[in-house]
Amino acid sequence: DARVTQTPRHKVTEMGQEVTMRCQPILGHNTVFWYRQTMMQGLELLAYFRNRAPLDDSGMPKDRFSAEMPDATLATLKIQPSEPRDSAVYFCASGPGNYGYTFGSGTRLTVV
Amino acid sequence: KNQVEQSPQSLIILEGKNCTLQCNYTVSPFSNLRWYKQDTGRGPVSLTIMTFSENTKSNGRYTATLDADTKQSSLHITASQLSDSASYICVVSARGNNRLAFGKGNQVVVIP
């Protein structure tokens, strides 16, 4: 089965450190999303790309978060500097347009 | 106010029993509605997706209904199994953009 691969699965880091999360979308999917999930807020959209171009990153704190797609097989989400309130599970999802998205297993980030 | 409201927030059911989860939304114009199942520590997995013209869709023991006039959907689980213990998330997509509105999920616990 095709799947979205996220690395690392778990990350513990100290406040102030840079964190980079990676996502390999399903081959052929031209839409990629980054979501953050917390117990309080549920799933929140951070950014999404279509054909590698960022279309919406309004949900992302711009001063510390950045999302890129250096090529069609890799999406990255970077936090610099990280803060304890960034602790959450970060999901990447990909899809062939506006129908039927597949989620990765997530990166569980803990900032201490 | 969240555009997607789910109820009940959580429920406990006996193995073998049926249950129904509710989703009310205000997203407009409507494109499609999806139900996802999220096991603990995993990413959401799509169960069903329905467009405006579809009233019901089944996936094994899961049956989703949609009333686009009243903006309501339900997910019915028949003959529940222990493996149905999960969070069930209702996601609504608006026509014309790729933004998804997420409910906070229905947490289902199936006990023997």
Side-chain angles (χ1 to χ4, degrees):
Chain A
D1 283 344
R3 56 180 181 168
V4 175
T5 303
Q6 289 186 246
T7 56
R9 285 299 310 275
H10 303 274
K11 176 73 175 178
V12 180
T13 190
E14 289 184 344
M15 182 173 64
Q17 295 299 305
E18 178 180 296
V19 175
T20 300
M21 291 169 271
R22 293 177 174 79
C23 167
Q24 181 177 355
I26 292 174
L27 193 63
H29 283 187
N30 66 347
T31 307
V32 176
F33 297 82
W34 281 105
Y35 290 95
R36 174 171 61 186
Q37 186 176 41
T38 61
M39 288 291 291
M40 295 297 294
Q41 300 296 328
L43 277 158
E44 301 172 281
L45 175 68
L46 295 174
Y48 80 89
F49 296 78
R50 172 158 280 181
N51 297 322
R52 294 177 54 203
L55 289 190
D56 186 349
D57 60 2
S58 58
M60 209 162 63
K62 305 268 189 324
D63 57 338
R64 299 183 299 108
F65 284 58
S66 61
E68 295 179 346
M69 277 201 77
D71 61 62
T73 65
L74 177 65
T76 61
L77 180 66
K78 191 174 295 186
I79 308 174
Q80 168 62 22
S82 57
E83 298 180 1
R85 59 181 167 149
D86 300 329
S87 298
V89 182
Y90 291 81
F91 287 103
C92 175
S94 72
N98 191 28
Y99 202 85
Y101 301 107
T102 301
F103 281 80
S105 295
T107 294
R108 182 174 293 277
L109 174 65
T110 303
V111 183
V112 298
Chain B
K1 185 170 166 40
N2 197 12
Q3 290 185 295
V4 180
E5 298 284 350
Q6 293 187 241
S7 63
Q9 185 176 6
S10 61
L11 76 161
I12 300 173
I13 58 173
L14 289 174
E15 186 178 11
K17 297 296 187 184
N18 304 333
C19 71
T20 300
L21 313 175
Q22 298 291 344
C23 172
N24 297 339
Y25 63 91
T26 59
V27 174
S28 182
F30 174 82
S31 175
N32 57 73
L33 183 148
R34 314 148 201 236
W35 282 94
Y36 283 87
K37 178 187 179 191
Q38 186 176 20
D39 293 312
T40 302
R42 308 300 296 269
V45 174
S46 180
L47 293 176
T48 63
I49 180 167
M50 291 181 290
T51 58
F52 185 88
S53 59
E54 296 174 295
N55 301 117
T56 185
K57 186 163 279 189
S58 290
N59 179 356
R61 295 179 296 102
Y62 301 103
T63 299
T65 65
L66 173 65
D67 186 334
D69 292 330
T70 62
K71 294 186 166 59
Q72 295 179 325
S73 176
S74 67
L75 181 69
H76 187 76
I77 304 175
T78 304
S80 60
Q81 299 178 358
L82 298 179
S83 59
D84 294 329
S85 295
S87 179
Y88 293 84
I89 304 171
C90 177
V91 183
V92 184
S93 177
R95 192 162 10 104
N97 62 60
N98 278 322
R99 292 191 73 89
L100 303 178
F102 286 83
K104 297 228 172 125
N106 305 101
Q107 187 68 42
V108 174
V109 177
V110 181
I111 58 174

